[in-house]
Amino acid sequence: MPITKLSLNASHLSLYLEDDKAIVYHKINHNLYHLPTLSIAILLSIDEGQSQQSTINSIAKEYQLSKQRLEPIYHQINTLFSSHKQQGTYLAGRYPEFEASPKQVSLFDHVQVAYFQVADTIFSIDTQDEDLFIAIQALLSPCRCSSIEVDFIISIAKSDGYYRIYSNGLLVETELSFNHVMPLIIDRLQILSFQQSDYTFCFHGAALGTPRGTLLLPGKSGSGKSTLSAVLAGVDGSLFSDEIIAFNKNFELCLLSLPIAVKSGSWKSLDIQYPNLKHMPTWHRLDGRRLKYVWPSDMQANKNISKNDNAKCLLINPRFVAQPSPAQEAQPQAVAKPLDVIETIAMLTDSGYQLGFELTESGFEAFLNFIEKTPCYQLSYSSSQQALDKLDELWLLQ
């Protein structure tokens, strides 16, 4: 069903309806709000000028619900009618080193320096720890570049057995063990690179180019997207990023050439496709998760891939379902559930997102138009082969 835009009496709100779901755009706060059926009914009643008592009484009767259940929903929706601008802007997630000039931290002597490029951003990384420097050079060798003008200087200091990370002279991480450093460096390279680009929308997920079109794999951490993208990159896909889907205003993808982070639960399933994975060092995220990094053989360099009306694009929200115990019946094949536009936007924002501009109504409607033209599914599967087979079917439908 196509999206229907409704004008409200509250001029600072725009309502976009799809079946029994809706999204409200707040023109003062530049924010989006996802509304289920009950919330839509309450919003429309408030907009028509109905009192709290009248609104709750009528909806309680229509939906056969208690007034106590509706009261907190009413108060939540009623806040949308405030014309007071909330604190905070789209720049709140921007890393602080953007406001600092590139400079090296002169805390130690005999540093070793290497230069790397991710997208259009140039980094220098320096440390006096020889083992760490060797590990960084080995992992990021596909990103090596000459010592041209640098955007960010990342310095890694060590004292009393612990590490600190500085970026453009600002202390950004402290009290780290050796095994914690690499994931934080990779994450920072990735985020600084896309924040330095002319991106407008950024979502948590992977992006690949395939012979049949562009494949987007948004999802929360742990959904299986990195493992699935690693499998696809080893079959017939070109990986553009395994963590960030960043679009510019023309819905072209920013390509972030960095290695895939493979969590420990996927090492065994990928060891045939990536035989060097077993020899790669193990790193640790701060939350305790273990991971290794691996490069696909055809990782794309720092380029852009266009999304136009004639190019095929498929958006898949992966949902890996663990194999049941022998006593339980296994899922025979992957299941692809179509997602409508509002379900897709809710999934994208729930998975994690960031904006490169103050969200305008026209900017949001351009994004709506992109999602309306893109087939979107949630894919549940219990093996990589199931996912590949179902993806083949979905591409044939396009």
Side-chain angles (χ1 to χ4, degrees):
M1 178 180 176
I3 294 285
T4 301
K5 181 180 179 180
L6 291 185
S7 297
L8 300 175
N9 294 316
S11 60
H12 66 284
L13 300 179
S14 291
L15 181 66
Y16 299 84
L17 284 169
E18 185 182 32
D19 293 329
D20 59 349
K21 298 177 291 295
I23 285 180
V24 169
Y25 172 72
H26 198 295
K27 300 177 186 178
I28 298 174
N29 293 327
H30 305 282
N31 287 334
L32 301 176
Y33 301 88
H34 177 222
L35 303 184
T37 304
L38 279 177
S39 297
I40 298 170
I42 291 173
L43 180 137
L44 293 174
S45 181
I46 296 174
D47 189 62
E48 290 171 358
Q50 299 296 318
S51 67
Q52 176 179 342
Q53 183 177 359
S54 175
T55 296
I56 291 178
N57 286 343
S58 62
I59 293 177
K61 182 178 180 180
E62 180 179 356
Y63 291 92
Q64 297 184 338
L65 296 171
S66 70
K67 297 177 183 180
Q68 290 76 15
R69 179 179 173 184
L70 293 174
E71 284 175 356
I73 303 175
Y74 176 92
H75 291 300
Q76 184 179 35
I77 297 302
N78 195 44
T79 61
L80 297 178
F81 288 84
S82 169
S83 59
H84 177 70
K85 184 172 177 60
Q86 296 178 353
Q87 295 297 315
T89 71
Y90 72 98
L91 289 174
R94 188 173 167 90
Y95 272 11
E97 51 263 54
F98 277 96
E99 311 306 321
S101 300
K103 62 181 179 181
Q104 196 169 31
V105 179
S106 302
L107 297 179
F108 40 85
D109 299 321
H110 311 298
V111 298
Q112 301 183 77
V113 184
Y115 299 88
F116 306 95
Q117 180 175 1
V118 182
D120 294 323
T121 303
I122 307 297
F123 300 88
S124 76
I125 301 180
D126 63 80
T127 182
Q128 90 276 32
D129 186 289
E130 185 172 355
D131 291 338
L132 181 60
F133 187 73
I134 290 172
I136 291 172
Q137 282 193 305
L139 181 59
L140 296 180
S141 59
C143 303
R144 287 290 298 270
C145 67
S146 58
S147 56
I148 56 180
E149 185 176 351
V150 171
D151 297 295
F152 299 97
I153 296 176
I154 295 178
S155 303
I156 308 164
K158 181 184 178 183
S159 61
D160 299 326
Y162 290 96
Y163 295 79
R164 303 185 305 278
I165 300 175
Y166 296 82
S167 184
N168 281 358
L170 301 177
L171 180 63
V172 294
E173 300 287 352
T174 187
E175 296 295 313
L176 305 173
S177 70
F178 179 87
N179 289 333
H180 287 140
V181 175
M182 189 69 78
L184 291 170
I185 294 294
I186 298 294
D187 290 350
R188 205 156 203 94
L189 296 183
Q190 191 160 231
I191 292 171
L192 288 172
S193 296
F194 92 76
Q195 289 187 343
Q196 177 93 336
S197 73
D198 62 346
Y199 83 101
T200 53
F201 296 96
C202 174
F203 303 101
H204 187 214
L208 300 99
T210 78
R212 289 161 290 190
T214 302
L215 180 63
L216 306 176
L217 298 171
K220 294 181 179 180
S221 180
S223 63
K225 65 186 183 308
S226 291
T227 302
L228 182 56
S229 62
V231 171
L232 289 163
V235 177
D236 64 355
S238 298
L239 184 66
F240 304 126
S241 172
D242 82 315
E243 284 292 337
I244 288 174
I245 301 171
F247 291 112
N248 65 17
K249 64 181 180 180
N250 299 317
F251 291 96
E252 296 170 330
L253 287 165
C254 176
L255 312 186
L256 305 173
S257 298
L258 285 166
I260 304 173
V262 182
K263 300 180 186 70
S264 57
S266 300
W267 294 347
K268 185 176 181 180
S269 62
L270 292 174
D271 61 2
I272 295 178
Q273 197 168 7
Y274 295 91
N276 62 328
L277 183 62
K278 65 182 67 175
H279 305 297
M280 300 302 290
T282 300
W283 303 96
H284 294 254
R285 290 211 177 274
L286 294 178
D287 62 8
R289 288 178 296 171
R290 296 180 301 142
L291 66 156
K292 295 183 177 184
Y293 290 99
V294 65
W295 285 89
S297 58
D298 59 351
M299 187 77 179
Q300 295 296 294
N302 306 296
K303 306 172 185 175
N304 273 351
I305 180 170
S306 295
K307 168 68 179 75
N308 57 57
D309 290 339
N310 297 318
K312 288 185 177 181
C313 184
L314 190 61
L315 187 151
I316 299 292
N317 172 222
R319 182 174 173 269
F320 177 74
V321 181
Q323 288 280 9
S325 66
Q328 297 174 302
E329 186 177 349
Q331 179 173 301
Q333 60 182 5
V335 176
K337 172 195 171 188
L339 298 176
D340 60 32
V341 173
I342 290 181
E343 285 176 330
T344 300
I345 292 174
M347 177 272 296
L348 289 170
T349 54
D350 286 346
S351 299
Y353 73 100
Q354 197 168 107
L355 300 178
F357 70 114
E358 196 81 84
L359 184 63
T360 62
E361 191 167 15
S362 61
F364 172 61
E365 289 178 357
F367 179 61
L368 270 180
N369 183 57
F370 170 76
I371 296 297
E372 281 188 298
K373 292 181 178 180
T374 302
C376 303
Y377 299 88
Q378 181 183 79
L379 182 65
S380 300
Y381 58 97
S382 54
S383 71
S384 297
Q385 189 58 53
Q386 285 187 358
L388 294 176
D389 292 342
K390 184 58 69 174
L391 284 171
D392 284 340
E393 293 179 21
L394 294 175
W395 278 119
L396 290 174
L397 295 175
Q398 311 315 313

